[in-house]
Amino acid sequence: MTTLTTEPLAPLLERLFSEAEAPGRSGGLARLSPGQRASLSASSSEKDYLNFYSLAKDAYLAVDRETAVLLYMLVRSTAARSIVEFGTSFGISTLHFAAGLRDNGGGRLITTEFEPSKAARARENFAAGGLADLIELREGDALETLANDLPEQIEVVLLDGAKGLYLPVLELLEDHLRPGALIVADNADRTPQYLEVVRSTDRGYTSVPFADDVELSMRTG
Ligand SMILES: C[S@@+](CC[C@H](N)C(=O)[O-])C[C@H]1O[C@@H](n2cnc3c(N)ncnc32)[C@H](O)[C@@H]1O
């Protein structure tokens, strides 16, 4: 029995995943062609990513169920106490991380979201899941909210916000990553600049792709 598989979290996650997977949840994104969607979500231009995510304010855009369980497992297997997440949305991935912290005996999880209505819904979900005490939700653009007051050592990271910001956000966190820290980047196939860094042999990472579009990297130095 784990926090993930018992009340109150298990039924909450089932409801959230069902809502996330329901047809017609893409809201304003339905107005974009697949090409526009891919290019706006991957852009590092503030105008583009604000435009994309304002159209996506009702869409969960959550990691898939398998990736979510993987997040829980990574936290448990590394006995992590310190996690940073870029891209909260309604909090599905955050809840998996926080469940891992709970089962590790506690810790600190910083997550960040710039869409106020999503942040409000995420806070409700953190409370409903009984995990709010472990989660610090920073509202605003990650380039500002993650620029200061980070834990001395970060052990696990999820990059799941605007794809064009994966590299600048990684650079904000880099000095705090402990050797062996794990970084999961969802939809990493949309950010070649990020992949070039984590896959290069001289930038202090070991990195592998898995599933269709998730990159798992480890800080080596
Ligand atoms: C893919 S969703 C996150 C899904 C979430 N990790 C999950 O699995 O449930 C990306 C979220 O990041 C937010 N976001 C995108 N760029 C951001 C930025 N620069 N700063 C803060 N939040 C951002 C969006 O509003 C959106 O809610």
Side-chain angles (χ1 to χ4, degrees), residues 72-119:
Y72 173 82
M73 289 167 59
L74 293 178
V75 172
R76 294 303 311 281
S77 64
T78 56
R81 297 286 185 144
S82 175
I83 303 172
V84 173
E85 174 180 68
F86 166 38
T88 318
S89 193
F90 296 103
I92 288 182
S93 51
T94 324
L95 288 165
H96 284 78
F97 270 152
L101 286 182
R102 178 72 80 221
D103 293 342
N104 283 350
R108 181 181 185 198
L109 163 48
I110 296 169
T111 184
T112 188
E113 173 58 57
F114 59 20
E115 171 54 44
S117 61
K118 284 187 155 180

Side-chain angles (χ1 to χ4, degrees), residues 34-164:
Q36 286 171 316
R37 217 173 141 149
S39 109
L40 285 179
S41 71
S43 174
S44 57
S45 138
E46 190 180 11
K47 181 166 160 278
D48 286 348
Y49 68 72
L50 288 177
N51 182 12
F52 177 84
Y53 286 104
S54 74
L55 290 171
K57 73 183 172 51
D58 298 318
Y60 274 75
L61 306 175
V63 294
D64 62 32
R65 289 175 190 252
E66 292 77 19
T67 304
V69 174
L70 178 78
L71 298 178
Y72 173 82
M73 289 167 59
L74 293 178
V75 172
R76 294 303 311 281
S77 64
T78 56
R81 297 286 185 144
S82 175
I83 303 172
V84 173
E85 174 180 68
F86 166 38
T88 318
S89 193
F90 296 103
I92 288 182
S93 51
T94 324
L95 288 165
H96 284 78
F97 270 152
L101 286 182
R102 178 72 80 221
D103 293 342
N104 283 350
R108 181 181 185 198
L109 163 48
I110 296 169
T111 184
T112 188
E113 173 58 57
F114 59 20
E115 171 54 44
S117 61
K118 284 187 155 180
R121 286 281 302 281
R123 285 187 203 282
E124 289 170 16
N125 292 333
F126 300 158
L131 294 166
D133 59 305
L134 297 168
I135 303 167
E136 178 185 338
L137 172 53
R138 297 185 179 179
E139 286 190 50
D141 195 305
L143 293 177
E144 289 164 21
T145 60
L146 298 181
N148 295 297
D149 191 22
L150 294 170
E152 204 167 305
Q153 293 230 306
I154 300 170
E155 295 162 289
V156 180
V157 173
L158 174 66
L159 300 175
D160 197 20
K163 311 307 157 197

Side-chain angles (χ1 to χ4, degrees), residues 151-218:
E152 204 167 305
Q153 293 230 306
I154 300 170
E155 295 162 289
V156 180
V157 173
L158 174 66
L159 300 175
D160 197 20
K163 311 307 157 197
L165 299 188
Y166 281 16
L167 189 51
V169 168
L170 179 71
E171 285 166 354
L172 288 178
L173 306 180
E174 201 157 57
D175 287 347
H176 299 261
L177 297 174
R178 71 137 205 237
L182 295 170
I183 304 121
V184 178
D186 200 30
N187 314 118
D189 53 327
R190 293 192 220 150
T191 171
Q193 309 89 327
Y194 174 82
L195 290 179
E196 193 182 321
V197 168
V198 292
R199 290 179 183 173
S200 74
T201 50
D202 60 354
R203 293 291 296 261
Y205 297 95
T206 301
S207 195
V208 285
F210 69 92
D212 278 342
D213 57 357
V214 179
E215 184 81 6
L216 177 62
S217 312
M218 186 183 76

